[in-house]
Amino acid sequence: MGYKVVVAGATGNVGREMLNILAEREFPVDEIAALASRKSLGTEVSFGDKTIKTKDLDTFDFTGWDIALFAVGSDATKVYAPKAAAAGCVVIDNSSLYRYDPDVPLIVPEVNADAIEGYRKKNIIANPNCSTAQMVVALKPIHDRAKITRVVVATYQSVSGAGKAGIDELWDQTKSIYNPVSEVPPKKFSKQIAFNVIPHIDVFLDDGSTKEEWKMVAETKKILDKSIKVTATCVRVPVFVGHSEAVNIETEEFLDWQEAQEILREAPGVMVVDKREPGGYITPIECVGEYATYVSRIRQDSTIENGLNLWCVSDNLRKGAALNAVQIAELLGNRCLKKG
């Protein structure tokens, strides 16, 4: 006996990836529904070797459905997630709407699986920000061994994190530079993204940080440990898929880089590729389509007493969004719903 599963936002980048991963991981699905806004009604999407047509999110009845994976943004989630939850369908939400709600668990299964039990308060589980998800997978084993006190992270985030419009803008601007028939002015991003980097993701806050940077701080504390100090600089780069992060870690106890490397090799969800030679590390283009969070460039930071540096790369549409949501569904099924 399997689950009746809904994917809301099935025509978007993340929604399509959710359907792909549900099929790839052979999630026990008895019945699947792909939902979209009315303007995308009837669009065909793939689920394994099947093709299914989208249904109208606005009129869909969630009664009798077990799990709904939401990839529709905060505004639509605010309307439809409570309806699904009230109908008895557990919502796993990819937007930022519920991440900071104390009654909604924010889950990365390799890091804080036990928090899943808290879903019963609202029948909703939050999926973290893409840049946070991959970072905490790498931080967790180090924190367990040496207790992390402070993290300084600079991100190099791909345009797919801004949705299809971000991908299209990079593609169109790149073409226009090589074939300057028509200009493609910035629309999705604040400045030209082709052949450029932009130190600005999401809106600016009063303290000069951006909301993306604030998210990384707040979510790391909620998922991993509220006592960890985190500071972030989030940068958009002209890469289609795959977020990268340069992470500086300060720990309470000394941890040498060789032991950190071994700990990370054994950690769930982590793949260490760390040869101290040209090409002995992972770049975003190599992680596309992969499940793992890749860690490279593990080394001591000699400027502080207990410090490490590392490079962390992951497919943001997978571990940063769709894969993590499906892993939450698997965890929910195994620990709580127990139907599959």
Side-chain angles (χ1 to χ4, degrees):
M1 187 178 178
Y3 295 94
K4 294 181 70 176
V5 179
V6 175
V7 175
T11 59
N13 290 337
V14 174
R16 288 178 188 271
E17 204 64 41
M18 286 172 169
L19 288 164
N20 289 339
I21 293 170
L22 284 165
E24 279 177 24
R25 292 173 72 92
E26 297 181 343
F27 188 82
V29 173
D30 264 4
E31 191 176 344
I32 189 128
L35 308 184
S37 63
R38 198 157 289 170
K39 66 179 181 181
S40 301
L41 195 60
T43 301
E44 292 188 340
V45 291
S46 298
F47 175 63
D49 56 4
K50 298 176 186 172
T51 300
I52 52 178
K53 287 188 175 181
T54 57
K55 298 178 179 179
D56 186 4
L57 172 60
D58 193 44
T59 58
F60 188 78
D61 183 0
F62 289 91
T63 305
W65 293 81
D66 299 302
I67 299 169
L69 306 180
F70 268 60
V72 293
S74 294
D75 290 342
T77 298
K78 190 182 292 185
V79 175
Y80 300 106
K83 289 181 180 178
C89 181
V90 182
V91 173
I92 300 170
D93 176 36
N94 195 58
S95 81
S96 61
L97 183 64
Y98 292 105
R99 289 176 189 160
Y100 318 106
D101 186 327
D103 290 334
V104 174
L106 180 65
I107 304 286
V108 176
E110 298 94 334
V111 179
N112 63 336
D114 290 347
I116 194 80
E117 299 293 342
Y119 89 91
R120 292 183 173 90
K121 289 181 180 176
K122 287 193 173 178
N123 237 20
I124 297 171
I125 302 164
N127 207 22
N129 189 35
C130 45
S131 48
T132 306
Q134 68 184 69
M135 185 174 77
V136 295
V137 169
L139 294 181
K140 168 68 171 170
I142 294 171
H143 187 57
D144 286 348
R145 161 64 180 81
K147 191 168 173 52
I148 296 171
T149 56
R150 183 170 184 253
V151 173
V152 181
V153 57
T155 71
Y156 306 77
Q157 294 178 229
S158 66
V159 294
S160 57
K164 185 179 181 297
I167 293 172
D168 289 345
E169 192 156 308
L170 173 57
W171 177 248
D172 292 339
Q173 281 182 355
T174 303
K175 285 192 298 181
S176 76
I177 289 166
Y178 277 110
N179 184 23
V181 176
S182 61
E183 282 189 30
V184 180
K187 197 171 179 182
K188 182 65 181 178
F189 303 114
S190 58
K191 298 200 177 194
Q192 176 185 307
I193 185 61
F195 303 96
N196 199 15
V197 296
I198 304 171
H200 168 205
I201 301 176
D202 213 324
V203 297
F204 275 93
L205 306 177
D206 290 342
D207 67 354
S209 63
T210 64
K211 195 170 182 186
E212 184 81 359
E213 292 156 357
W214 175 85
K215 287 174 190 173
M216 289 195 76
V217 175
E219 292 173 23
T220 301
K221 286 174 174 287
K222 183 171 179 177
I223 295 165
L224 193 56
D225 188 331
K226 65 177 186 286
S227 69
I228 296 175
K229 294 177 180 177
V230 183
T231 184
T233 300
C234 294
V235 182
R236 189 73 72 190
V237 297
V239 170
F240 285 111
V241 178
H243 288 357
S244 306
E245 297 169 349
V247 189
N248 177 263
I249 303 161
E250 193 168 352
T251 57
E252 204 168 88
E253 297 178 39
F254 179 76
L255 177 62
D256 69 55
W257 71 268
Q258 293 99 329
E259 187 183 351
Q261 194 180 65
E262 288 309 308
I263 288 169
L264 287 162
R265 283 192 199 284
E266 299 299 317
V270 175
M271 183 73 71
V272 174
V273 178
D274 192 18
K275 296 177 182 176
R276 296 184 165 188
E277 60 187 43
Y281 41 79
I282 289 288
T283 58
I285 207 163
E286 296 157 288
C287 77
V288 175
E290 299 292 332
Y291 287 152
T293 294
Y294 289 88
V295 178
S296 308
R297 304 291 321 280
I298 303 163
R299 61 206 188 278
Q300 227 74 47
D301 175 4
S302 59
T303 67
I304 51 177
E305 197 170 334
N306 302 326
L308 291 166
N309 287 304
L310 58 82
W311 175 251
C312 172
V313 182
S314 191
D315 182 330
N316 55 294
L317 298 179
R318 290 208 150 202
K319 186 55 190 171
L323 172 62
N324 200 71
V326 173
Q327 288 177 303
I328 291 170
E330 291 169 346
L331 181 65
L332 179 71
N334 292 336
R335 289 212 186 180
C336 306
L337 304 183
K338 299 181 179 177
K339 276 177 71 176

